[in-house]
Amino acid sequence: MKDRLFPQDQQTRDIARELYSHVVELPIISPHGHTDPNWFASNTAFANPAELLVTPDHYLFRMLYSQGVRLEDLGISRLDSGEIETDPRKIWRTFASHYFLFRATPTALWIDHSLQEVFGVSDPLNAKTADAVYDRIDGCLKSPEFRPRALFEHFNIEVLATTEGALDPLEAHKNIQASGWGGRVITTYRPDTVIDPETPGFAENIARFGEMTGEDTSSWRGYLQAHRKRRAEFKAHGATATDHGHPTARTEDLSRSDAAEIFDRALAGRLSPEEADLFRGQMLTEMARMSIDDGLVMQLHPGSVRNHNAAVFSTFGRDKGFDIPRRTDFANDLRPLLNAVGDDPRLTLIVFTLDETAYGRELAPLAGAYPALRLGPAWWFFDSPEGMRRFREITTETAGFYNTVGFNDDTRAFCSIPARHDVARRVDCSYLASLVATGRLSEADASEVAIDLTYRLAKQAYRL
């Protein structure tokens, strides 16, 4: 649909259409996401439609599970190696027969775009068309044009950042670099498993961290030096950013002796939940100081109650659709970090939220004042046309456009990347068109802003 997501009134729609024409062909900057770097390292064909479009996508799991579909029937592995469906066609049929559940959701926008624009599927997906659509996609996947690197180029991706943990050996990224392929796939440093004392096996992780870096991670000084070494290795494999997924936005600025004391207690497993949160908060400030030294942009993704469903977590593990938003206090929680380093222009801290009430009350005012702080785009549950629109409406008056960082897709679902970016471009152009139509922005300025939101701001913020 040519005018998808554009305003209803003709005047504003025409403006949006014109603005969109300036950005529709721009390359995709994907500075934060969770696609598998092994896809691009090996460049082997995707196995089948179910493995490509269904099993990596927690947006699908949660909706289907809410309507009684067993995760086993979607091919999701059980931690006890119990029986699951392994026939990809049957998994696809289950998905297709329940696809109506996604009507009017962002997921439907992404899936429909992928089916139509990537695979040339013209029929709607449902139980009757399931096999024909499966066969169409499966046939495409057997073609060299649908290998990961070819799709990367077809999608017009200029740069794509994956996310790896601090203990990841980065073999996939090493292989990508050694392959001579021209696609730019870079890593991102995600140190949660060696920062969060409530991570199962935390002390063992710290010991392994020391082995990987050659540092004495039983000491506070050696532990911090291990982070510096790993960050440098990640930079050598293209990283321009770190990422931190914490339950809260809490930061602290403890003395060196107090920080060392709580680290010792963390290794001994003697922290209360409150003290564990304090330690995580101290480490955010430590990471910010390291970012000033090494230039890595810092991302903070707080505010999710992870693995809310205990039964699903114990049976299937993490990332199965049961992470739930929670209230987040940014004004108080970020204050220690911002008072310590927030005035330093060498630091870029990009903050995301799952608490929309914080945009106008706290985040936009903070980003509109502190040089180091930028607002990440509408994220996760709000990565939707309405969520993106609300983000612009709530934050622009206080933070403007240039204290935000454009768009990122934050996805595991590779084929949804162009769809997600297209939605963001259309929503931003529609919002800008409304400003032009009501006399708050000239069309020339709106055109420049549209290009900035689509391309320039992400490159600038993430130092790409």
Side-chain angles (χ1 to χ4, degrees):
M1 180 178 174
K2 182 178 67 172
D3 290 332
R4 185 167 55 104
L5 302 178
F6 286 166
Q8 290 181 320
D9 71 278
Q10 189 64 51
Q11 178 193 6
T12 314
R13 185 188 307 161
D14 288 344
I15 299 170
R17 198 183 286 158
E18 175 63 22
L19 294 174
Y20 178 70
S21 72
H22 297 301
V23 301
V24 61
E25 300 294 339
L26 288 177
I28 288 174
I29 304 296
S30 181
H32 174 74
H34 301 278
T35 52
D36 187 346
N38 287 295
W39 294 339
F40 310 104
S42 66
N43 199 36
T44 56
F46 292 106
N48 57 70
E51 184 177 302
L52 176 64
L53 296 171
V54 180
T55 55
D57 197 339
H58 58 74
Y59 286 89
L60 302 183
F61 306 159
R62 58 181 287 110
M63 178 67 82
L64 296 174
Y65 188 87
S66 78
Q67 289 287 310
V69 177
R70 299 168 66 247
L71 294 184
E72 289 92 341
D73 292 337
L74 299 173
I76 308 306
S77 298
R78 294 172 57 103
L79 296 178
D80 63 3
S81 300
E83 185 176 348
I84 63 170
E85 182 58 69
T86 59
D87 184 337
R89 188 178 290 273
K90 289 182 179 179
I91 294 169
W92 183 262
R93 287 172 179 166
T94 299
F95 169 55
S97 66
H98 292 85
Y99 189 58
F100 69 92
L101 297 173
F102 297 96
R103 288 169 178 164
T105 67
T107 298
L109 282 175
W110 304 330
I111 295 289
D112 288 347
H113 186 283
S114 298
L115 295 179
Q116 295 162 14
E117 301 298 326
V118 179
F119 297 105
V121 174
S122 56
D123 294 329
L125 180 63
N126 53 47
K128 292 180 179 179
T129 64
D131 281 345
V133 173
Y134 183 98
D135 290 338
R136 169 70 185 182
I137 299 172
D138 197 48
C140 289
L141 295 180
K142 291 178 170 60
S143 166
E145 288 78 17
F146 289 83
R147 295 280 180 98
R149 293 180 184 178
L151 285 176
F152 183 100
E153 293 162 4
H154 175 68
F155 293 162
N156 196 22
I157 298 174
E158 183 174 311
V159 58
L160 183 149
T162 65
T163 305
E164 278 70 55
L167 301 178
D168 193 291
L170 299 180
E171 289 300 324
H173 284 277
K174 293 173 184 177
N175 291 336
I176 291 170
Q177 288 182 330
S179 72
W181 175 53
R184 188 178 178 194
V185 178
I186 63 176
T187 186
T188 300
Y189 184 59
R190 178 80 173 238
D192 297 356
T193 59
V194 292
I195 280 181
D196 185 354
E198 294 181 311
T199 300
F202 178 72
E204 292 80 2
N205 289 348
I206 298 302
R208 185 179 166 203
F209 197 39
E211 293 169 1
M212 292 182 74
T213 59
E215 294 292 334
D216 176 14
T217 51
S218 66
S219 72
W220 175 240
R221 180 178 179 180
Y223 170 68
L224 294 182
Q225 185 60 23
H227 277 288
R228 294 186 185 97
K229 282 191 173 180
R230 282 255 72 192
R231 290 167 65 105
E233 186 172 358
F234 272 67
K235 282 189 69 174
H237 292 88
T240 68
T242 69
D243 183 40
H244 308 270
H246 287 206
T248 72
R250 180 176 181 175
T251 64
E252 297 290 343
D253 191 17
L254 303 176
S255 68
R256 180 175 177 178
S257 60
D258 286 346
E261 190 272 336
I262 197 169
F263 173 70
D264 290 343
R265 295 179 59 215
L267 282 185
R270 293 189 290 106
L271 295 185
S272 67
E274 161 65 20
E275 291 169 327
D277 200 38
L278 184 150
F279 180 75
R280 288 189 294 263
Q282 177 63 24
M283 286 309 301
L284 286 178
T285 304
E286 298 292 347
M287 292 291 104
R289 288 194 171 104
M290 290 184 196
S291 284
I292 291 173
D293 292 337
D294 64 22
L296 290 178
V297 173
M298 184 175 176
Q299 300 172 96
L300 176 59
H301 288 83
S304 177
V305 178
R306 302 280 178 175
N307 309 303
H308 195 278
N309 187 315
V312 169
F313 178 60
S314 64
T315 304
F316 298 96
R318 300 170 54 87
D319 301 324
K320 299 301 180 290
F322 276 96
D323 296 343
I324 307 297
R326 61 182 290 174
R327 292 184 299 272
T328 307
D329 181 352
F330 289 95
N332 291 315
D333 283 354
L334 291 179
R335 193 173 188 181
L337 183 152
L338 292 174
N339 277 326
V341 293
D343 294 321
D344 195 321
R346 294 174 296 172
L347 172 66
T348 297
L349 170 61
I350 301 172
V351 177
F352 297 77
T353 187
L354 293 174
D355 180 3
E356 284 190 308
T357 64
Y359 278 139
R361 186 183 65 243
E362 300 171 57
L363 282 173
L366 285 167
Y370 280 94
L373 193 60
R374 296 290 182 269
L375 299 183
W379 168 49
W380 202 341
F381 290 88
F382 309 116
D383 180 9
S384 65
E386 289 78 9
M388 294 173 187
R389 175 81 182 201
R390 288 193 298 268
F391 173 81
R392 292 292 174 210
E393 290 176 339
I394 297 170
T395 64
T396 300
E397 289 183 347
T398 305
F401 294 113
Y402 295 92
N403 285 312
T404 68
V405 299
F407 176 70
N408 67 54
D409 47 77
D410 193 18
T411 186
R412 295 176 177 83
F414 182 41
C415 287
S416 76
I417 288 177
R420 292 168 189 253
H421 283 262
D422 186 64
V423 167
R425 294 175 189 196
R426 289 173 178 272
V427 171
D428 281 340
C429 288
S430 296
Y431 176 64
L432 293 169
S434 72
L435 298 182
V436 173
T438 53
R440 288 176 286 173
L441 196 65
S442 73
E443 194 157 353
D445 284 348
S447 179
E448 184 174 322
V449 172
I451 294 170
D452 290 339
L453 296 180
T454 298
Y455 184 75
R456 293 180 187 140
L457 283 180
K459 289 196 72 169
Q460 179 183 16
Y462 284 88
R463 300 174 185 173
L464 296 167

